[in-house]
Short mmCIF file of all heavy atoms in Angstrom, two decimals:
data_model
loop_
_atom_site.label_atom_id
_atom_site.label_comp_id
_atom_site.label_asym_id
_atom_site.label_seq_id
_atom_site.Cartn_x
_atom_site.Cartn_y
_atom_site.Cartn_z
N LYS A 82 -25.47 -16.29 2.52
CA LYS A 82 -25.93 -17.65 2.84
C LYS A 82 -24.85 -18.43 3.59
O LYS A 82 -25.10 -19.01 4.64
CB LYS A 82 -26.31 -18.37 1.55
CG LYS A 82 -26.81 -19.78 1.74
CD LYS A 82 -27.30 -20.37 0.42
CE LYS A 82 -27.74 -21.83 0.60
NZ LYS A 82 -28.12 -22.42 -0.69
N TYR A 83 -23.63 -18.42 3.06
CA TYR A 83 -22.57 -19.23 3.66
C TYR A 83 -21.91 -18.55 4.86
O TYR A 83 -21.28 -19.22 5.67
CB TYR A 83 -21.56 -19.66 2.60
CG TYR A 83 -22.21 -20.48 1.52
CD1 TYR A 83 -22.11 -20.15 0.17
CD2 TYR A 83 -22.98 -21.60 1.86
CE1 TYR A 83 -22.75 -20.89 -0.80
CE2 TYR A 83 -23.64 -22.35 0.90
CZ TYR A 83 -23.52 -21.99 -0.44
OH TYR A 83 -24.17 -22.73 -1.40
N ALA A 84 -22.06 -17.24 4.98
CA ALA A 84 -21.52 -16.54 6.16
C ALA A 84 -22.27 -16.94 7.43
O ALA A 84 -21.79 -16.70 8.54
CB ALA A 84 -21.59 -15.02 5.96
N LYS A 85 -23.43 -17.57 7.26
CA LYS A 85 -24.14 -18.10 8.44
C LYS A 85 -23.54 -19.40 8.92
O LYS A 85 -23.81 -19.84 10.03
CB LYS A 85 -25.62 -18.32 8.10
CG LYS A 85 -26.39 -17.03 7.90
CD LYS A 85 -27.85 -17.32 7.62
CE LYS A 85 -28.56 -16.05 7.18
NZ LYS A 85 -29.91 -16.32 6.66
N MET A 86 -22.73 -20.04 8.05
CA MET A 86 -22.18 -21.38 8.38
C MET A 86 -20.66 -21.42 8.48
O MET A 86 -20.10 -22.35 9.04
CB MET A 86 -22.56 -22.38 7.28
CG MET A 86 -24.00 -22.40 6.87
SD MET A 86 -24.21 -23.59 5.51
CE MET A 86 -25.73 -22.99 4.78
N PHE A 87 -20.00 -20.44 7.86
CA PHE A 87 -18.54 -20.47 7.76
C PHE A 87 -17.98 -19.05 7.84
O PHE A 87 -18.69 -18.09 7.55
CB PHE A 87 -18.09 -21.03 6.39
CG PHE A 87 -18.51 -22.43 6.09
CD1 PHE A 87 -19.66 -22.69 5.37
CD2 PHE A 87 -17.73 -23.51 6.52
CE1 PHE A 87 -20.05 -24.00 5.08
CE2 PHE A 87 -18.11 -24.82 6.24
CZ PHE A 87 -19.27 -25.06 5.51
N ASN A 88 -16.68 -18.95 8.17
CA ASN A 88 -15.96 -17.73 7.83
C ASN A 88 -15.83 -17.71 6.31
O ASN A 88 -15.49 -18.74 5.70
CB ASN A 88 -14.56 -17.74 8.45
CG ASN A 88 -14.62 -17.77 9.96
OD1 ASN A 88 -15.23 -16.89 10.57
ND2 ASN A 88 -14.00 -18.77 10.57
N VAL A 89 -16.11 -16.58 5.70
CA VAL A 89 -16.08 -16.53 4.24
C VAL A 89 -15.25 -15.35 3.75
O VAL A 89 -15.05 -14.36 4.47
CB VAL A 89 -17.51 -16.40 3.64
CG1 VAL A 89 -18.37 -17.61 3.99
CG2 VAL A 89 -18.18 -15.11 4.09
N VAL A 90 -14.76 -15.48 2.52
CA VAL A 90 -14.08 -14.38 1.83
C VAL A 90 -14.65 -14.35 0.42
O VAL A 90 -14.76 -15.39 -0.22
CB VAL A 90 -12.56 -14.60 1.75
CG1 VAL A 90 -11.87 -13.40 1.11
CG2 VAL A 90 -11.97 -14.85 3.13
N ASP A 91 -15.01 -13.14 -0.05
CA ASP A 91 -15.43 -13.04 -1.45
C ASP A 91 -14.75 -11.86 -2.12
O ASP A 91 -14.04 -11.08 -1.49
CB ASP A 91 -16.96 -12.98 -1.58
CG ASP A 91 -17.58 -11.59 -1.35
OD1 ASP A 91 -16.86 -10.57 -1.32
OD2 ASP A 91 -18.82 -11.53 -1.21
N SER A 92 -14.96 -11.78 -3.44
CA SER A 92 -14.34 -10.72 -4.25
C SER A 92 -15.41 -9.84 -4.89
O SER A 92 -15.24 -9.36 -6.00
CB SER A 92 -13.46 -11.34 -5.34
OG SER A 92 -14.28 -12.11 -6.22
N PHE A 93 -16.49 -9.62 -4.15
CA PHE A 93 -17.61 -8.83 -4.67
C PHE A 93 -17.12 -7.49 -5.23
O PHE A 93 -16.55 -6.67 -4.51
CB PHE A 93 -18.62 -8.58 -3.55
CG PHE A 93 -19.89 -7.90 -4.01
CD1 PHE A 93 -20.88 -8.62 -4.66
CD2 PHE A 93 -20.08 -6.54 -3.79
CE1 PHE A 93 -22.04 -8.00 -5.09
CE2 PHE A 93 -21.25 -5.92 -4.21
CZ PHE A 93 -22.23 -6.65 -4.87
N ASP A 94 -17.35 -7.25 -6.53
CA ASP A 94 -16.75 -6.06 -7.14
C ASP A 94 -17.75 -5.14 -7.84
O ASP A 94 -17.36 -4.33 -8.67
CB ASP A 94 -15.62 -6.46 -8.10
CG ASP A 94 -16.13 -7.20 -9.33
OD1 ASP A 94 -17.35 -7.44 -9.44
OD2 ASP A 94 -15.30 -7.54 -10.19
N ASN A 95 -19.01 -5.28 -7.47
CA ASN A 95 -20.03 -4.38 -8.03
C ASN A 95 -20.10 -3.14 -7.12
O ASN A 95 -20.91 -3.07 -6.19
CB ASN A 95 -21.36 -5.12 -8.09
CG ASN A 95 -22.43 -4.30 -8.77
OD1 ASN A 95 -22.22 -3.13 -9.11
ND2 ASN A 95 -23.59 -4.90 -8.98
N HIS A 96 -19.23 -2.15 -7.42
CA HIS A 96 -19.03 -1.01 -6.51
C HIS A 96 -20.32 -0.38 -5.99
O HIS A 96 -20.44 -0.18 -4.78
CB HIS A 96 -18.13 0.04 -7.18
CG HIS A 96 -16.70 -0.37 -7.27
ND1 HIS A 96 -15.74 0.05 -6.38
CD2 HIS A 96 -16.05 -1.18 -8.15
CE1 HIS A 96 -14.57 -0.48 -6.70
NE2 HIS A 96 -14.72 -1.22 -7.78
N PRO A 97 -21.30 -0.06 -6.85
CA PRO A 97 -22.48 0.64 -6.30
C PRO A 97 -23.27 -0.22 -5.31
O PRO A 97 -23.99 0.30 -4.47
CB PRO A 97 -23.33 0.94 -7.54
CG PRO A 97 -22.46 0.71 -8.72
CD PRO A 97 -21.36 -0.22 -8.30
N MET A 98 -23.12 -1.55 -5.40
CA MET A 98 -23.89 -2.43 -4.52
C MET A 98 -23.13 -2.81 -3.24
O MET A 98 -23.63 -3.59 -2.42
CB MET A 98 -24.30 -3.71 -5.28
CG MET A 98 -25.29 -3.48 -6.41
SD MET A 98 -26.79 -2.64 -5.81
CE MET A 98 -27.53 -3.99 -4.88
N ILE A 99 -21.92 -2.26 -3.07
CA ILE A 99 -21.11 -2.65 -1.91
C ILE A 99 -21.80 -2.36 -0.57
O ILE A 99 -21.82 -3.22 0.31
CB ILE A 99 -19.70 -2.00 -2.00
CG1 ILE A 99 -18.83 -2.81 -2.99
CG2 ILE A 99 -19.03 -1.92 -0.62
CD1 ILE A 99 -17.45 -2.22 -3.25
N PRO A 100 -22.43 -1.17 -0.39
CA PRO A 100 -23.08 -0.93 0.90
C PRO A 100 -24.17 -1.97 1.22
O PRO A 100 -24.25 -2.46 2.35
CB PRO A 100 -23.67 0.48 0.75
CG PRO A 100 -22.76 1.15 -0.25
CD PRO A 100 -22.41 0.05 -1.23
N THR A 101 -24.97 -2.32 0.24
CA THR A 101 -26.02 -3.32 0.45
C THR A 101 -25.43 -4.69 0.77
O THR A 101 -25.87 -5.38 1.70
CB THR A 101 -26.89 -3.45 -0.83
OG1 THR A 101 -27.38 -2.15 -1.15
CG2 THR A 101 -28.04 -4.41 -0.63
N HIS A 102 -24.41 -5.06 -0.02
CA HIS A 102 -23.77 -6.36 0.22
C HIS A 102 -23.16 -6.40 1.62
O HIS A 102 -23.29 -7.41 2.33
CB HIS A 102 -22.70 -6.59 -0.86
CG HIS A 102 -22.16 -7.99 -0.91
ND1 HIS A 102 -22.96 -9.09 -1.12
CD2 HIS A 102 -20.89 -8.48 -0.79
CE1 HIS A 102 -22.21 -10.19 -1.12
NE2 HIS A 102 -20.95 -9.84 -0.91
N PHE A 103 -22.55 -5.29 2.02
CA PHE A 103 -21.95 -5.24 3.37
C PHE A 103 -23.01 -5.50 4.43
O PHE A 103 -22.81 -6.30 5.35
CB PHE A 103 -21.28 -3.88 3.60
CG PHE A 103 -20.57 -3.80 4.94
CD1 PHE A 103 -19.25 -4.18 5.06
CD2 PHE A 103 -21.23 -3.33 6.07
CE1 PHE A 103 -18.59 -4.13 6.29
CE2 PHE A 103 -20.58 -3.27 7.30
CZ PHE A 103 -19.26 -3.66 7.40
#
Side-chain angles (χ1 to χ4, degrees):
Chain A
K82 180 174 177 184
Y83 299 126
K85 290 182 190 169
M86 311 177 202
F87 298 95
N88 297 303
V89 298
V90 184
D91 82 13
S92 63
F93 186 78
D94 67 358
N95 185 354
H96 288 261
M98 294 304 289
I99 281 175
T101 305
H102 192 58
F103 184 89

